[in-house]
């Protein structure tokens, strides 16, 4: 029996987990956010923020790069990206406060291969 964590994928993906991801995306001007999936659950968020010295300006309060109206589209895209994944990562690339790329890397766990080193051939 597997415990369902607060960041599990599919219909068990919590609103709090999605809100946390949405907040992290809004907080980054340049960088990336990586969601780590294990046993079909998002177990970790890795946030990498780059600070461009020549372009760095303080963020205005109340003004975010990802508008609230875009929140539903962002949530839908995140759910699509992690849907059906058992193990892997979803990386969200952000430039100038805009999401420019979502990359999904899925890993498969396999058992012992027969014939890999000549046995069974």
């Amino acid at each position: 029996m597997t415990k369902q964590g607060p960041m599990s994928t599919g219909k068990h993906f919590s609103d709090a987990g999605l809100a946390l991801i949405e907040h992290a995306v809004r907080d980054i001007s340049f960088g990336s956010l990586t969601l780590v999936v294990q046993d079909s659950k998002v177990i970790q968020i890795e946030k990498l923020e780059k600070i461009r010295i020549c372009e760095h300006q303080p963020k205005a309060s109340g003004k975010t790069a990802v508008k609230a109206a875009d929140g539903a589209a962002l949530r839908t895209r995140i759910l699509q990206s992690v849907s059906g994944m058992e193990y892997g990562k979803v990386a969200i690339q952000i430039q100038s406060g805009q999401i420019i790329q979502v990359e999904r890397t899925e890993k498969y766990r396999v058992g012992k291969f027969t014939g890999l080193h000549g046995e069974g051939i």
Side-chain angles (χ1 to χ4, degrees):
M1 186 168 156
T2 307
K3 290 190 334 186
Q4 292 295 325
M7 297 285 291
S8 61
T9 59
K11 62 184 176 182
H12 301 289
F13 206 117
S14 74
D15 286 336
L18 287 168
L20 180 65
I21 294 166
E22 196 174 325
H23 176 72
V25 168
R26 288 181 180 175
D27 197 38
I28 299 174
S29 292
F30 292 91
S32 65
L33 197 68
T34 302
L35 312 177
V36 179
V37 179
Q38 182 176 325
D39 295 325
S40 300
K41 293 180 232 162
V42 176
I43 62 160
Q44 182 172 305
I45 300 171
E46 298 170 0
K47 180 179 173 181
L48 173 67
E49 185 168 7
K50 299 175 184 178
I51 299 172
R52 304 245 173 132
I53 295 171
C54 61
E55 299 177 24
H56 181 68
Q57 295 179 7
K59 295 178 184 176
S61 61
K63 192 174 184 182
T64 58
V66 179
K67 296 180 182 85
D70 296 335
L74 174 61
R75 288 176 180 227
T76 300
R77 185 65 189 131
I78 290 168
L79 288 171
Q80 288 174 343
S81 297
V82 298
S83 176
M85 183 185 294
E86 280 190 66
Y87 302 96
K89 294 182 179 186
V90 173
I92 302 167
Q93 301 294 324
I94 302 163
Q95 282 184 355
S96 300
Q98 299 296 318
I99 297 172
I100 60 159
Q101 180 175 320
V102 177
E103 182 178 326
R104 174 184 162 130
T105 304
E106 189 168 1
K107 298 179 181 182
Y108 295 96
R109 303 279 169 102
V110 294
K112 185 177 178 181
F113 288 106
T114 56
L116 187 63
H117 298 287
E119 66 273 2
I121 297 178

